[in-house]
Amino acid sequence: MYIKENLSLIVITLICCFFSIYEPLIFEFNNISNILKQASLIAIFSIAQSVVLITKGLDLSQGGIITVVSVSVALLSSQLNIPVAIGIGLLIGGLIGFFNGMIISNFKVSPFVVTLGVGTLFQGVALVLSQGQPIYQVPEGFSYIGWNETLRVPDIVYVLAVVSICLNFYLSNIIYGRYLFAIGSNERASYLSGINITKHKVIAYTICGLITSLGAMILASRINSGHPVEGVNTALQSVAACVIGGVSLFGGKGKVLGVILGSLLLAFISNSLNIINVSSYYQQIMVGIIIIFAVIIDKLKSRTYEESI
């Protein structure tokens, strides 16, 4: 049981040991800081994805949310000011998530199809708004949150900590959060128990959209621009981190800490392979293999649980 619950931590430890022998430069302070920044950004998107996965859903619109929010915030920050642009960016992400949830829950259609379509739609909107070009005309201070450090710790890590604590409290201590697990475990039984399925699915997708838009603005800050194609593959990466971290694709199971560990594992592997000059093409292959094995393991664990009851 200990191994199953802490598989990500064990794998991270083993990989760290391997790379520390192969390339000690990986563990220099500056590189560790880079890994934390990369892992924190992945974790924010993955935590957002985990909320809908727990309900046995899926959000493939994350790429579209990221592009339209980053482009919109970049454009608005130069016209208005950065705090107002951030508020509007969060509103955009939340509304897209709300839209996803309303369609999926009211029309009983596949989350895969709906969110894929919505993501494609807003990817197109981002391209129209930016005319297919990155928005570099951003005010001074736009890159602050993406690169600033406090007490030698990247500010992104603090943002991740706040998001993680808040979401973990919601999922563990608030009745609405517990409803999400119930819906993912058995939607029919949840309905018969009096849980408003539509309402709580909409809440889940809205939360996903809000957190994704927050990550989108941090990503835009890191590249100091609004990019219309940046982050289009984020949904795949976030699902991978979730599954590696123990969130079940079959709903009803997942922990915020596990998602963070899964994100850290992906970031560490990517960073280490870059340092030892492994082509990004091979890295893509490795991520695909990791996802396949994680899904297989998740299915086997789900089958074992079903047989035990």
Side-chain angles (χ1 to χ4, degrees), residues 7-18:
L7 185 59
S8 294
L9 183 59
I10 293 171
V11 172
I12 289 173
T13 303
L14 292 175
I15 291 176
C16 286
C17 291
F18 170 78

Side-chain angles (χ1 to χ4, degrees), residues 80-276:
L80 304 172
N81 57 61
I82 294 177
V84 173
I86 289 173
I88 294 175
L90 290 171
L91 180 62
I92 292 171
L95 287 174
I96 295 174
F98 179 83
F99 181 68
N100 282 334
M102 288 294 290
I103 295 177
I104 291 167
S105 57
N106 283 294
F107 294 96
K108 313 298 181 186
V109 289
S110 167
F112 178 92
V113 176
V114 172
T115 58
L116 180 62
V118 170
T120 304
L121 166 64
F122 284 99
Q123 173 72 52
V125 172
L127 289 168
V128 171
L129 290 174
S130 64
Q131 297 182 346
Q133 300 296 321
I135 310 298
Y136 291 114
Q137 293 76 28
V138 293
E140 185 178 351
F142 189 83
S143 63
Y144 180 85
I145 191 65
W147 292 101
N148 190 62
E149 296 184 357
T150 302
L151 301 176
R152 303 193 74 184
V153 177
D155 284 356
I156 304 177
V157 176
Y158 295 114
V159 174
L160 171 62
V162 172
V163 172
S164 301
I165 291 170
C166 291
L167 185 62
N168 185 67
F169 181 80
Y170 178 78
L171 293 175
S172 302
N173 300 94
I174 304 298
I175 189 65
Y176 281 10
R178 304 309 302 168
Y179 283 167
L180 301 184
F181 287 96
I183 292 169
S185 297
N186 192 322
E187 185 171 322
R188 178 64 178 170
S190 299
Y191 173 77
L192 294 175
S193 299
I195 297 175
N196 189 326
I197 305 298
T198 298
K199 173 183 175 181
H200 293 290
K201 280 191 175 183
V202 170
I203 290 174
Y205 280 94
T206 302
I207 292 173
C208 181
L210 282 169
I211 299 177
T212 299
S213 64
L214 175 62
M217 290 182 283
I218 295 174
L219 176 60
S221 176
R222 281 189 59 77
I223 62 178
N224 203 31
S225 65
H227 206 294
V229 294
E230 188 73 28
V232 292
N233 294 320
T234 298
L236 174 64
Q237 197 173 39
S238 67
V239 170
C242 285
V243 176
I244 293 169
V247 180
S248 177
L249 291 176
F250 306 99
K253 185 175 129 182
K255 294 181 180 180
V256 172
L257 178 60
V259 175
I260 294 174
L261 290 175
S263 303
L264 181 61
L265 177 60
L266 287 181
F268 185 84
I269 291 175
S270 176
N271 179 273
S272 301
L273 292 177
N274 283 331
I275 287 180
I276 62 178

Side-chain angles (χ1 to χ4, degrees), residues 66-78:
I66 291 168
T67 55
V68 76
V69 168
S70 61
V71 167
S72 299
V73 170
L75 289 170
L76 291 170
S77 62
S78 58

